[in-house]
Amino acid sequence: MKIGDLSIGDWVLMNGEPAKAMRLTMAGRSIFRGLSGQIYGSVGGDISPLPITPEILEKNGFKKNGEYNEWNIGEWNERPFIGVSLDRQSMRITYLGTDIFVVHQVVCVHQLQHALRLACVGKEIEL
């Protein structure tokens, strides 16, 4: 994983522990804060993507759709409706039943965060 793949506020694994990007530089002198408040510097650090799990989705208000391996917030005819499919590795955001944003290959928390920002959904992911 490269620093250029991240944005401020993104969740990753830093040395195997969840951490949030606080400052990012292309020179690699980036700062991450762990859940315990511990500060990590990324020069020579082990940064890897944090996979999306059902537990993370549930903690952030997503509910399991009984018919599919999909996790949703909202109802199909509400605004916005957000669906994340773990099987298809995709995310869909609809507005009053019409798709306004569909992205594939969403498998990591930072990708979900980017998709929510691009679709202008004011949802912050918490761990």
Side-chain angles (χ1 to χ4, degrees):
M1 173 171 234
K2 298 178 278 187
I3 292 294
D5 296 336
L6 299 175
S7 298
I8 300 293
D10 284 353
W11 286 104
V12 296
L13 291 175
M14 182 74 178
N15 300 320
E17 297 290 328
K20 196 173 201 178
M22 307 302 288
R23 183 177 66 180
L24 301 168
T25 68
M26 296 306 285
R29 291 183 174 87
S30 303
I31 303 291
F32 295 85
R33 183 181 304 274
L35 290 175
S36 66
Q38 182 175 358
I39 301 290
Y40 299 95
S42 66
V43 173
D46 179 26
I47 302 169
S48 58
L50 175 64
I52 297 173
T53 64
E55 294 79 19
I56 290 172
L57 293 172
E58 285 178 3
K59 185 169 184 177
N60 285 278
F62 288 79
K63 305 267 188 240
K64 177 110 170 39
N65 182 323
E67 295 180 46
Y68 308 101
N69 191 17
E70 186 172 273
W71 300 81
N72 308 125
I73 288 181
E75 298 295 326
W76 183 252
N77 59 352
E78 289 182 357
R79 52 181 183 214
F81 166 85
I82 304 168
V84 176
S85 171
L86 298 179
D87 285 344
R88 294 185 303 265
Q89 299 179 344
S90 64
M91 184 182 127
R92 165 185 302 217
I93 298 176
T94 66
Y95 186 82
L96 299 176
T98 302
D99 286 340
I100 59 169
F101 190 84
V102 178
V103 63
H104 300 284
Q105 299 302 316
V106 176
V107 295
C108 302
V109 172
H110 76 278
Q111 294 169 318
L112 175 60
Q113 290 177 287
H114 292 189
L116 291 170
R117 286 183 205 124
L118 286 171
C120 296
V121 175
K123 172 116 185 89
E124 288 295 321
I125 299 297
E126 299 296 325
L127 296 188

